[in-house]
Amino acid sequence: MTRRRGIVAAGILLGGALLGGAAASAASCVGGAELPAFADKRIALAEDTLFFKVSALALDQDGSPEAYGVRDQGTELVCNGLAPLSPAECRGKNRGECFRACQAAFAAWSRAGADVDRLDDFMCSIGLGGGGCSSPRVRLQDPPRQAWFVSETSVRLSPPDGTPGTGWSGSQAAQIDAVRIPYFVIPGGFRRLPWDATPGDAGVIVDARSGRSVPFVVGDTGGALDEASTAVHARLRDSAAPPKTQRTSALGETVDSYRTGMNGDFRVAIFRHTSRRQAGSSLLSLKPDELGPWIDTTVESKLRTIGGLDRVLACAS
């Protein structure tokens, strides 16, 4: 069997190839226990692995160097990361009529000189540079990319050899790039017992309809246990990029943006306690060129331990 864009585990090719009818013939989840539901999803635990099913997969673009632009020219709407301070009923909100208020606040900041140190006079953070309507702690990327905000993820990579460590964690290069790296997103509460998932854990997602599977790392926090990076969406589409559409930015310019996520029957396994996160830090003990190979080899090993993708399909059902 040809090895391409993935790994072989328990006799099944991962990373975009097909499973050959495994969805129809998956065995029962032997030895599994049901945990309390989380985010309206049934959670099973077997062999230190969390299993669950997702019917709608949202698109997460955090960590991409082109996610958030200072002119709202990014593939992610700036109002998905920032929210207005006024009117009072829209403070920290970005939906419905408050979306217009958000765009107006960002446009006002831009007209006032687009000074990042003054952004908190106009807006608060709901994901870009903070959260919970906190004061935005935003940074611009290094020249010549200062027209883009640094888009952060919850875990970061260690600096390559020879790279100064000072300031590394806050740089764009330290983040998990959503376009290049397949990652899944977990809510903060999913880290608590009895679920005990951790940012940096490895896992795999299987499309039970097409049979495609994608190894991933838990790279960000938030959402409702139903978000994955652009790279996961592309590989579930057999490496076809998610569709784009044109939209009007907060400054009234026409820009390209990703259209939406995916609907389907997705089975997810997160291999607990596999994280390589350094104690007391958001940094993984993995350099940028080491993360991809680590994901593949870790998922391959864990799948052999639990019984392959058939076990994922069964336990996540």
Side-chain angles (χ1 to χ4, degrees):
M1 182 178 290
T2 303
R3 186 182 180 95
R4 63 178 181 85
R5 295 193 314 277
I7 58 179
V8 177
I12 302 169
L13 182 64
L14 298 181
L18 300 185
L19 274 152
S25 61
S28 62
C29 187
V30 177
E34 187 164 349
L35 299 182
F38 191 96
D40 297 323
K41 296 171 180 64
R42 296 181 65 179
I43 311 295
L45 174 65
E47 299 187 60
D48 210 20
T49 302
L50 297 166
F51 301 93
F52 53 94
K53 178 179 176 179
V54 177
S55 59
L57 194 62
L59 185 65
D60 191 301
Q61 299 168 66
D62 288 343
S64 167
E66 295 188 353
Y68 295 103
V70 298
R71 299 188 60 80
D72 190 22
Q73 79 274 26
T75 55
E76 181 73 86
L77 280 69
V78 75
C79 284
N80 284 341
L82 299 171
L85 297 176
S86 62
E89 60 269 22
C90 285
R91 183 182 179 89
K93 300 178 181 178
N94 66 343
R95 301 295 176 89
E97 288 299 315
C98 291
F99 180 75
R100 296 183 182 181
C102 178
Q103 288 193 312
F106 190 79
W109 168 76
S110 180
R111 290 193 299 269
D115 182 352
V116 293
D117 293 330
R118 292 194 57 210
L119 184 57
D120 58 359
D121 291 341
F122 300 84
M123 311 190 79
C124 64
S125 174
I126 56 173
L128 176 60
C133 202
S134 61
S135 177
R137 301 185 305 275
V138 297
R139 293 180 300 278
L140 301 181
Q141 295 181 36
D142 294 333
R145 295 191 53 82
Q146 59 267 44
W148 301 87
F149 293 109
V150 172
S151 178
E152 296 180 331
T153 47
S154 297
V155 292
R156 297 164 173 85
L157 297 162
S158 291
D161 294 339
T163 301
T166 304
W168 167 258
S169 183
S171 70
Q172 188 62 55
Q175 314 307 316
I176 310 296
D177 187 345
V179 175
R180 295 180 53 253
I181 300 297
Y183 71 67
F184 198 80
V185 183
I186 61 170
F190 205 52
R191 301 180 61 181
R192 295 194 293 266
L193 292 171
W195 307 286
D196 199 26
T198 303
D201 281 343
V204 65
I205 183 168
V206 185
D207 185 339
R209 296 177 182 174
S210 71
R212 294 189 182 96
S213 61
V214 182
F216 63 73
V217 64
V218 176
D220 207 3
T221 55
L225 209 58
D226 60 357
E227 295 184 22
S229 71
T230 313
V232 168
H233 286 257
R235 296 180 193 190
L236 286 173
R237 289 183 169 95
D238 198 20
S239 295
K244 286 187 176 182
T245 188
Q246 290 189 323
R247 64 175 177 87
T248 301
S249 75
L251 303 186
E253 301 169 348
T254 300
V255 297
D256 289 333
S257 184
Y258 289 115
R259 187 177 301 166
T260 185
M262 303 173 67
N263 294 321
D265 180 358
F266 306 108
R267 314 291 176 87
V268 181
I270 294 177
F271 304 116
R272 302 194 308 180
H273 308 131
T274 54
S275 177
R276 294 280 297 274
R277 198 173 61 155
Q278 300 177 32
S281 170
S282 63
L283 288 176
L284 300 176
S285 59
L286 295 163
K287 300 179 179 66
D289 61 347
E290 296 173 335
L291 179 57
W294 175 86
I295 294 172
D296 283 354
T297 56
T298 302
V299 172
E300 179 178 9
S301 174
K302 295 298 293 186
L303 280 174
R304 292 191 186 281
T305 298
I306 69 168
L309 293 175
D310 279 356
R311 187 82 179 279
V312 177
L313 289 164
C315 290
S317 64

